Amino acid sequence: MRWHRLENRIVALFIILILLVQLAGFIAIRKAIDENARASIRDELIIGERVFLRLLEQNADKLTQGARLLASDFGFRQAIGTDDRETITSVLENHGARIGSTLSMLIGTDQRVKASTQAYPSTDLQRSALELVSKAAATNGASDTVIVDDNLFQIVAVPVRAPVIIGWVVMGFPVDKKLISDMRALSSLQVSVLVSTRAGQWQQDVSTLAKPESAMLMSQLPQSPASNSFIPQLSIADNDYSARMLVLAKGQGSQSAVAVLQRSISEAVAPYRRLQLILLSISIIGVIMAIFASAFVARRITSPLRALADVAKRLGTGDYRARIDIKGGDEIGKLADAFESMRSGIANRELEIRRLAYWDPLTDLPNRVQFATLLNTAIERAKTTGGQCHILMMDLDRFQHVNDVLGHSFGDSLLRQVGRRLEQQLERENDKVARLGGDEYAILLPATDQVEAVRQAKRILSSLEVPLSIDEQTVDLGAGIGIAGYPENGENSDTLLSNAEVAMYVAKRRGSGFTVYEPSIDKSSQESLSLLSELRRALDRDEFLLYAQPKVDLASGRVVGAEALVRWMHPEKGFIGPDNFIPFAETTGFIRMLTSWMLGKTAILCSELQSRGISLKFSVNLSTRDLLDQDLPEHFADILERNNLAPSSMCLEITESAIMDDPVRAQLTLERLHAMGVELAIDDFGTGYSSLAYLKRLPVDELKIDKSFVMNMEHDADDAKIVKSTIDLGHNMGLRVVAEGLETLAVWNLLRQMGCDQAQGYFMSKPMPGDRFIEWLEQWTPPEVPSQSENMAI
């Protein structure tokens, strides 16, 4: 039998359960039968005891009647009256022989034996006779069971009246085989009468058992029974008995006579054993029937499951045509319905997956996978004919900006319109447009040389110069196109797509509209990709360092804050200045990750200082891309909460160019940050071309004068005027003014005289690692500044 099959396991489970139930029932019935049989045996023994005692009583009554006949005999009374002892003895012997008495005597009124059938009555007999005569005097006759010479006798005593009592007739009858045979006939009990000798040994008197069995019985009995008692089990001649021992008489010392009533346990249980055999037969028949029934039920259960398994295998191979026709309202029917629903669902999804695998769901254009297949086909055809084929890869300009400002729904509509416009520019049936992802498109030009590919690129760029109108919004879009062809730029689809992408990025960076791939442009692209990879790796490996440059209050010389800066310690190239990687990070978008790192590290340093009782305001620079990040306010709030900092502990700095690149979006982001309680500052003020009318509407708190004006103001009157004008402008707008590039005490004094609020520069300290900032604070000593009168003199 193959046990891994469900059908066989179900059958086995049924059989095991039935066998366990039957076995439990059989054991319970057997135990109940045994208990009932033993209880029945106890009842039989109790009833047998009553019957046996009743037989003894009846026998005693019979003997008493016989003795009374003798006592009422006229001749016997006359012989007593004449004291004719020979006649008395003869009458005792003759009458005793007729009624079965083996011991007879006449006791006079003086309590002395007048005559006896025994020449010398034993002491036991005389004592027992006299005791019985004493009882008979009050009851007109008495009987008792006594031990005489190690034998059990029933003796009776009746008075002889003429008309007064002239003596007592005492007659003894042995408890013989006839009595216990009558008992055996009336019940199913074995009866044994045993007498213990004065030496303490049992001897058999009479028994319904054979002599060997009787001997075994005597060896198992207690020597001195105190009263009637049960003997739970006796093993005699391979038979087990329950027994009840009756004390019939007590002799001198520990001598006693008992009757043992025995009931064979095997005989008592025999009818029940037949019942057990019948139950066992019924159980076997039930198990056989259960085997067939369980096999039938298991097959009914497993057959549909096998059918479902076959269907599942076919589904696994991709065959979705097989229908499942298993009906029923039970769980298997429901499972079959679920399988059928799954089959149809998988079939439909398979079709959808195939469509999604080769088609872009947004524009219904071929996707990257299908485009690669089409490109491989074009390459193989070109190989066969010895011709060429080219691809154009295009990426839209400013699409992300449009998507962020006008929403994703607008962006999706824009992508669909661009796809349709590109299809309209195709001149041949075999030319194909595909959307590769995001705002990237590719155009396949089979059997086309480079001149024709360039012409087609110019045609597409010209078509994109016409603004797109969506939902009453007009959008101007440009694009960068990269051109690569077989066989000069690659011999497979992966190489051509990669080279076209490199050329496309070069075109976007140069702003040239389109670029034909050349091996020379690959080197710079690889360097850019390498730098981006190194930046990502540097962030993962914690190669960036947090630096801080202190800001002081010019009036008091007290340190009031610091600007957080980032430095890069490359494991191979050593220290890399920010000018070598920050512009690239802003171009690639990595600046967002770097800004997030800066905010987190600065918050940790600020929190550490506050735990030491030092409360400073730290400034962190934001880039243009940071201002376009809609999640920046929530992310910054989470950083503050993790470090238990109030928003007022931080100041975020934005350059004028970053603000003016997208004024509306920048103002929205700045307003959300300012609403949190974060102070905002305009960095490098004076170097951009911002509109003051617009800047005054921004929720900023601080202006930072660019260091190019501050460093030479001591020697350049024009720079000094610009700084003074900027300070006055900032104060008039209600802003705090901070000067960068403070490098001498003289410039300190000039700035202080002009009313500048704060400053930072090499005069106080160069930017230093964050872990040394606390040490510097402890050692900082403000310079001695001139008094107010000295300032006036200056």
Side-chain angles (χ1 to χ4, degrees):
M1 181 179 287
R2 291 178 292 179
W3 292 106
H4 66 277
R5 293 184 59 183
L6 179 60
E7 179 178 346
N8 295 336
R9 283 184 286 176
I10 291 175
V11 173
L13 178 61
F14 268 87
I15 294 173
I16 291 172
L17 289 176
I18 291 173
L19 288 176
L20 289 176
V21 172
Q22 294 289 351
L23 179 63
F26 188 80
I27 293 174
I29 292 173
R30 183 181 180 86
K31 183 178 180 182
I33 287 174
D34 186 70
E35 291 177 354
N36 290 337
R38 293 184 182 275
S40 177
I41 289 172
R42 289 176 64 90
D43 293 340
E44 285 189 49
L45 291 174
I46 293 173
I47 294 172
E49 176 186 353
R50 296 172 184 169
V51 171
F52 185 72
L53 293 177
R54 183 61 179 164
L55 285 175
L56 289 176
E57 185 179 346
Q58 289 178 353
N59 193 52
D61 291 341
K62 173 184 172 184
L63 297 177
T64 301
Q65 292 298 325
R68 283 177 178 162
L69 287 175
L70 176 61
S72 63
D73 184 79
F74 178 77
F76 181 67
R77 285 185 294 177
Q78 189 176 13
I80 294 173
T82 59
D83 197 22
D84 186 354
R85 296 195 178 191
E86 291 183 1
T87 302
I88 293 171
T89 303
S90 176
V91 172
L92 289 174
E93 288 178 350
N94 292 333
H95 192 75
R98 286 198 299 273
I99 63 175
S101 173
T102 59
L103 298 173
S104 302
M105 66 178 64
L106 175 67
I107 297 177
T109 56
D110 57 357
Q111 303 294 314
R112 297 181 63 183
V113 178
K114 300 295 185 178
S116 174
T117 57
Q118 289 184 332
Y120 300 101
S122 65
T123 304
D124 291 341
L125 179 60
Q126 292 185 46
R127 186 186 68 255
S128 299
L130 292 175
E131 290 177 356
L132 194 60
V133 165
S134 298
K135 296 178 183 179
T139 60
N140 197 30
S143 63
D144 198 2
T145 303
V146 298
I147 300 173
V148 177
D149 298 331
D150 295 334
N151 292 304
L152 184 65
F153 282 83
Q154 278 188 295
I155 61 175
V156 296
V158 295
V160 180
R161 298 178 185 274
V164 295
I165 296 175
I166 58 175
W168 301 86
V169 173
V170 178
M171 306 188 79
F173 305 88
V175 177
D176 56 9
K177 187 77 172 180
K178 181 179 181 303
L179 179 66
I180 62 174
S181 297
D182 292 342
M183 180 63 189
R184 173 67 175 166
L186 291 173
S187 66
S188 300
L189 306 179
Q190 298 284 358
V191 183
S192 299
V193 177
L194 305 174
V195 178
S196 63
T197 64
R198 287 181 173 84
Q201 300 295 322
W202 290 106
Q203 69 177 18
Q204 177 181 324
D205 200 346
V206 289
S207 176
T208 58
L209 295 172
K211 286 188 177 181
E213 297 176 354
S214 180
M216 293 178 67
L217 173 64
M218 288 188 290
S219 67
Q220 298 183 51
L221 292 179
Q223 295 300 320
S224 302
S227 61
N228 298 353
S229 61
F230 279 106
I231 301 176
Q233 187 165 329
L234 296 172
S235 297
I236 301 173
D238 298 329
N239 286 322
D240 290 333
Y241 291 90
S242 286
R244 185 167 176 80
M245 187 168 62
L246 311 178
V247 179
L248 300 178
K250 288 286 187 180
Q252 291 295 317
S254 61
Q255 192 177 22
S256 61
V258 298
V260 180
L261 307 180
Q262 297 170 253
R263 180 70 168 101
S264 172
I265 296 176
S266 58
E267 290 180 3
V269 175
Y272 299 107
R273 297 298 184 204
R274 288 192 293 274
L275 176 60
Q276 285 182 308
L277 290 176
I278 293 173
L279 292 175
L280 181 61
S281 300
I282 294 173
S283 298
I284 293 173
I285 294 172
V287 169
I288 294 173
M289 294 177 63
I291 291 173
F292 287 102
S294 60
F296 175 76
V297 172
R299 184 156 298 178
R300 287 289 301 275
I301 294 174
T302 57
S303 293
L305 294 179
R306 282 196 294 269
L308 293 176
D310 293 339
V311 171
K313 289 180 180 178
R314 296 178 66 177
L315 292 177
T317 60
D319 183 3
Y320 305 109
R321 295 170 297 176
R323 293 188 59 83
I324 302 173
D325 295 325
I326 300 173
K327 304 299 181 182
D330 56 4
E331 287 77 2
I332 294 179
K334 294 178 180 178
L335 179 61
D337 292 340
F339 257 80
E340 174 61 20
S341 176
M342 181 182 71
R343 182 197 65 80
S344 60
I346 291 176
N348 294 332
R349 283 192 294 275
E350 182 76 11
L351 294 175
E352 181 66 15
I353 289 171
R354 289 180 179 176
R355 190 184 72 82
L356 293 175
Y358 295 101
W359 296 90
D360 175 54
L362 180 62
T363 61
D364 286 331
L365 294 174
N367 62 7
R368 181 181 290 271
V369 175
Q370 186 178 172
F371 185 80
T373 303
L374 295 173
L375 177 56
N376 282 326
T377 302
I379 292 173
E380 292 299 325
R381 188 171 300 160
K383 287 181 180 179
T384 303
T385 61
Q388 302 180 22
C389 70
H390 280 74
I391 61 171
L392 312 180
M393 186 175 292
M394 185 186 80
D395 185 84
L396 298 177
D397 295 335
R398 301 182 299 278
F399 173 75
Q400 186 61 46
H401 174 70
V402 172
N403 199 46
D404 291 339
V405 174
L406 300 178
H408 293 288
S409 178
F410 185 90
D412 292 344
S413 299
L414 180 62
L415 292 174
R416 283 191 288 267
Q417 282 211 20
V418 169
R420 286 194 292 269
R421 182 167 293 188
L422 291 176
E423 285 185 311
Q424 292 170 2
Q425 305 309 310
L426 301 181
E427 299 177 335
R428 299 180 303 174
E429 183 178 354
N430 290 334
D431 296 346
K432 298 293 182 183
V433 177
R435 178 172 176 246
L436 304 185
D439 58 342
E440 286 188 2
Y441 294 84
I443 297 93
L444 173 62
L445 303 174
T448 303
D449 58 17
Q450 188 180 82
V451 175
E452 179 61 24
V454 170
R455 188 188 68 80
Q456 187 67 34
K458 292 178 179 179
R459 176 182 171 87
I460 291 173
L461 290 173
S462 177
S463 70
L464 291 178
E465 292 177 359
V466 180
L468 294 169
S469 295
I470 302 173
D471 297 332
E472 299 181 356
Q473 292 280 351
T474 301
V475 180
D476 291 319
L477 286 178
I481 297 179
I483 304 173
Y486 168 86
E488 61 269 19
N489 302 134
E491 296 188 353
N492 56 64
S493 61
D494 290 338
T495 303
L496 285 180
L497 285 169
S498 177
N499 291 338
E501 186 173 16
V502 171
M504 177 188 70
Y505 284 125
V506 171
K508 288 178 68 68
R509 187 167 63 248
R510 294 175 180 174
S512 58
F514 70 90
T515 298
V516 179
Y517 174 79
E518 296 177 1
S520 60
I521 67 175
D522 220 10
K523 183 178 180 181
S524 61
S525 299
Q526 289 177 355
E527 291 177 352
S528 297
L529 291 174
S530 176
L531 180 58
L532 180 60
S533 298
E534 288 185 347
L535 284 172
R536 295 182 186 277
R537 191 162 49 248
L539 192 61
D540 294 336
R541 297 179 180 179
D542 204 20
E543 295 175 5
F544 292 113
L545 303 175
L546 180 69
Y547 273 55
Q549 186 175 32
K551 295 166 65 174
V552 298
D553 181 78
L554 291 172
S556 63
R558 183 173 55 88
V559 179
V560 294
E563 180 179 2
L565 303 168
V566 63
R567 299 293 184 265
W568 183 7
M569 183 58 69
H570 195 282
E572 298 175 358
K573 301 176 182 178
F575 186 85
I576 299 177
D579 293 338
N580 295 323
F581 66 89
I582 292 296
F584 179 76
E586 291 179 342
T587 302
T588 58
F590 180 77
I591 194 66
R592 289 186 179 180
M593 300 175 65
L594 196 56
T595 300
S596 178
W597 180 88
M598 283 285 295
L599 291 173
K601 292 294 184 180
T602 304
I604 293 173
L605 178 58
C606 183
S607 178
E608 182 181 353
L609 288 172
Q610 288 189 8
S611 66
R612 296 169 177 254
I614 304 172
S615 180
L616 299 179
K617 187 185 299 292
F618 278 81
S619 300
V620 179
N621 288 283
L622 297 182
S623 69
T624 303
R625 289 182 178 265
D626 293 321
L627 291 179
L628 297 177
D629 186 1
Q630 295 294 303
D631 297 327
L632 176 63
E634 288 77 6
H635 178 59
F636 185 44
D638 182 58
I639 291 175
L640 293 174
E641 183 178 358
R642 286 201 308 267
N643 292 278
N644 296 319
L645 291 177
S648 58
S649 302
M650 304 285 282
C651 178
L652 301 178
E653 299 183 359
I654 312 99
T655 61
E656 293 179 78
S657 58
I659 298 171
M660 298 314 299
D661 189 56
D662 188 351
V664 176
R665 187 71 174 276
Q667 183 164 355
L668 290 174
T669 304
L670 294 175
E671 286 177 351
R672 291 176 60 191
L673 289 169
H674 194 265
M676 293 168 50
V678 180
E679 290 193 357
L680 303 172
I682 296 179
D683 194 16
D684 300 336
F685 186 79
T687 59
Y689 302 95
S690 56
S691 168
L692 293 178
Y694 177 73
L695 287 179
K696 70 178 183 180
R697 297 199 302 269
L698 293 175
V700 295
D701 305 277
E702 179 179 288
L703 281 182
K704 295 189 72 174
I705 306 173
D706 187 69
K707 63 182 180 181
S708 61
F709 304 112
V710 176
M711 293 175 65
N712 297 319
M713 62 178 291
E714 182 182 2
H715 308 291
D716 191 325
D718 292 334
D719 285 346
K721 292 176 181 179
I722 292 173
V723 171
K724 174 60 176 172
S725 299
T726 304
I727 294 172
D728 293 340
L729 174 64
H731 287 166
N732 289 334
M733 294 177 65
L735 304 178
R736 181 175 60 247
V737 180
V738 180
E740 294 183 297
L742 173 56
E743 296 186 354
T744 64
L745 179 60
V747 173
W748 176 307
N749 291 328
L750 282 174
L751 291 172
R752 182 170 177 270
Q753 183 180 2
M754 292 178 181
C756 187
D757 302 299
Q758 299 174 8
Q760 65 185 82
Y762 285 7
F763 179 74
M764 284 76 74
S765 172
K766 295 181 179 181
M768 68 191 76
D771 54 1
R772 291 173 49 193
F773 188 69
I774 298 176
E775 180 182 350
W776 180 89
L777 283 174
E778 295 173 350
Q779 298 176 358
W780 163 247
T781 302
E784 294 184 4
V785 297
S787 63
Q788 188 66 25
S789 59
E790 291 175 330
N791 283 337
M792 294 297 294
I794 292 173

